[in-house]
Amino acid sequence: MKSSSINLPAEKIIKREKFDESAFRQMIRTMNLKVTDQRLLIFEALHSGRAHVTAQEVFEKVHAVDGAVGFATVYRFLRSLTEYGFVTEVRMGGMSARYELTPKRHHDHLTCMSCGKICEFENHEIESLQERVAAQFGFELTSHVLELYGHCRDCTKAKLKKS
Amino acid sequence: MKSSSINLPAEKIIKREKFDESAFRQMIRTMNLKVTDQRLLIFEALHSGRAHVTAQEVFEKVHAVDGAVGFATVYRFLRSLTEYGFVTEVRMGGMSARYELTPKRHHDHLTCMSCGKICEFENHEIESLQERVAAQFGFELTSHVLELYGHCRDCTKAKLKKS
DNA sequence: AATTTATTTGATAATGATTCTCATTTATAA
DNA sequence: TTATAAATGAGAATCATTATCAAATAAATT
């Protein structure tokens, strides 16, 4: 899909906790799945580098380590992880899904349409207003998607300079 | 895509203004496009029936009137309309895009995951909190997606009765 | 350690949504 | 009425994702 959407360029690598293999093994067992090298590699790929990756990107990282791993395995496992909530799926427009290890704290995203930078934020006021809206309509809320799009300071400046 | 997502069933038909062909002709000219029967049919399809339709659904409605109209024409025109903002694209998870004639007032959606009902709402407090968040990160906001998911009163009741 | 068995895997085909191609048709400006 | 750039429709192409299935393997059991 070439489409109207932006193509995300590099994103800053975020500082992250040390890779804890045994924790991942535990998660896999929690899902009633078997611990395999492929699955550990997928976890490793999710854990290092940029926070929001496509299945394709995960595949490429895993493939670089073990060229025998196939697409299907990556997609399959990402799906399981998403179903169990260990991984969160983020979608922007019609682009391919991006995945991240579910963060401890819930957060939403603010994306720069120029450079692709993604900022994470949490805002309790917004959350509770959402609950209120749902209640007004008699809904029980199960989840939500809040994605903000705009231009970051650097890109706004850069654009001004050009014109 | 069978996937994890729900398949939207029927949605209440919303009361809408009278179909105004000349207004649509005007919009087409504004886009620097030519007025064709196909395009008027597509407008007609968007204007009547449920508010949020897929390209496929639009195609079927148009096709029922004129069996000669093709997919491509529908997709192409929906894209133009979306680019010019006359139509708004709504996406839920990995499902196919749904389109609606851009409403006069901006609004967001609250969707029932059981029956597919879509409620529209607007909440200025949420909007301005979004602006505040963006400002905190030095972003200029251009757009946002806020989709709430849950279960409507009827479906919640129905589920309770079953168990 | 060897055996068993249900899972998992990878290659590849299939799918579904959407876009592209291109020869033909058509709206509209002149 | 004509000229011509734009629009159309049929079908191929693409892209992300999922399904299929025979071969490989984790882990429970002997």
Side-chain angles (χ1 to χ4, degrees):
Chain A
M1 182 180 300
K2 210 178 54 184
S3 98
S4 52
S5 304
I6 64 171
N7 218 358
L8 290 187
E11 181 193 34
K12 242 191 325 247
I13 288 167
I14 290 163
K15 185 170 289 179
R16 219 184 314 277
E17 298 134 54
K18 208 166 62 213
F19 179 73
D20 179 354
E21 186 178 307
S22 74
F24 291 140
R25 287 176 175 274
Q26 190 47 56
M27 289 188 208
I28 297 176
R29 285 196 210 94
T30 303
M31 298 189 277
N32 296 310
L33 298 177
K34 293 182 175 170
V35 175
T36 65
D37 292 350
Q38 291 88 328
R39 286 173 175 163
L40 290 174
L41 277 177
I42 291 169
F43 262 122
E44 214 169 315
L46 286 169
H47 179 268
S48 64
R50 74 171 282 179
H52 305 86
V53 283
T54 62
Q56 183 65 42
E57 286 163 0
V58 172
F59 169 73
E60 279 160 18
K61 290 178 96 164
V62 168
H63 202 257
V65 180
D66 177 353
V69 180
F71 275 145
T73 305
V74 172
Y75 271 105
R76 240 179 333 225
F77 191 44
L78 283 176
R79 189 132 79 103
S80 303
L81 286 168
T82 303
E83 278 162 6
Y84 272 84
F86 289 125
V87 158
T88 300
E89 203 184 54
V90 183
R91 283 172 186 277
M92 304 189 14
M95 301 166 67
S96 36
R98 286 178 179 273
Y99 301 87
E100 63 176 334
L101 287 171
T102 301
K104 306 284 171 296
R105 315 178 66 110
H106 162 76
H107 66 241
D108 298 301
H109 297 110
L110 171 56
T111 303
C112 176
M113 301 302 274
S114 306
C115 71
K117 180 164 52 192
I118 298 179
C119 298
E120 303 175 342
F121 69 90
E122 60 174 329
N123 186 299
H124 294 299
E125 290 180 81
I126 292 180
E127 308 272 322
S128 57
L129 283 169
Q130 288 174 1
E131 287 292 348
R132 191 187 304 168
V133 168
Q136 279 166 3
F137 284 89
F139 273 59
E140 271 178 32
L141 222 51
T142 55
S143 65
H144 72 259
V145 173
L146 173 57
E147 302 281 337
L148 305 183
Y149 303 111
H151 299 285
C152 70
R153 191 162 6 231
D154 294 346
C155 291
T156 303
K157 266 189 211 152
K159 207 187 299 170
L160 281 179
K161 211 172 284 176
K162 235 183 259 172
S163 59
Chain B
M1 184 177 301
K2 211 179 52 185
S3 98
S4 52
S5 303
I6 64 172
N7 218 358
L8 289 186
E11 180 192 34
K12 241 191 324 250
I13 288 167
I14 290 164
K15 183 169 291 179
R16 218 185 315 276
E17 300 135 53
K18 207 166 61 213
F19 180 73
D20 179 356
E21 185 177 307
S22 73
F24 290 141
R25 286 177 176 275
Q26 191 47 56
M27 288 188 209
I28 297 176
R29 285 196 210 92
T30 302
M31 297 190 278
N32 296 309
L33 299 177
K34 293 181 176 171
V35 176
T36 65
D37 292 349
Q38 291 89 328
R39 286 173 174 163
L40 289 173
L41 278 176
I42 291 169
F43 262 123
E44 215 170 313
L46 286 170
H47 179 267
S48 64
R50 74 172 282 180
H52 306 85
V53 284
T54 62
Q56 182 65 42
E57 286 163 1
V58 172
F59 169 73
E60 279 160 17
K61 290 177 97 164
V62 168
H63 203 256
V65 180
D66 177 354
V69 180
F71 271 148
T73 305
V74 172
Y75 271 105
R76 243 181 327 229
F77 191 45
L78 283 176
R79 189 131 79 104
S80 303
L81 287 168
T82 303
E83 278 163 6
Y84 272 85
F86 289 124
V87 158
T88 300
E89 205 184 52
V90 182
R91 284 172 185 277
M92 305 188 14
M95 300 168 66
S96 36
R98 286 179 177 272
Y99 300 88
E100 62 175 335
L101 287 171
T102 302
K104 307 283 174 296
R105 314 178 68 109
H106 162 74
H107 66 240
D108 298 301
H109 296 110
L110 171 57
T111 303
C112 176
M113 302 301 275
S114 305
C115 72
K117 180 164 52 193
I118 298 179
C119 298
E120 303 175 343
F121 68 90
E122 61 174 328
N123 187 298
H124 294 299
E125 290 180 80
I126 292 180
E127 308 272 323
S128 55
L129 283 169
Q130 288 174 2
E131 287 291 348
R132 191 187 304 167
V133 168
Q136 278 166 4
F137 284 89
F139 273 59
E140 271 180 31
L141 222 50
T142 55
S143 66
H144 72 259
V145 173
L146 173 57
E147 302 280 337
L148 305 184
Y149 303 110
H151 300 284
C152 70
R153 190 159 9 229
D154 294 347
C155 291
T156 304
K157 267 188 210 153
K159 207 187 301 170
L160 282 179
K161 212 172 284 176
K162 236 183 257 171
S163 59

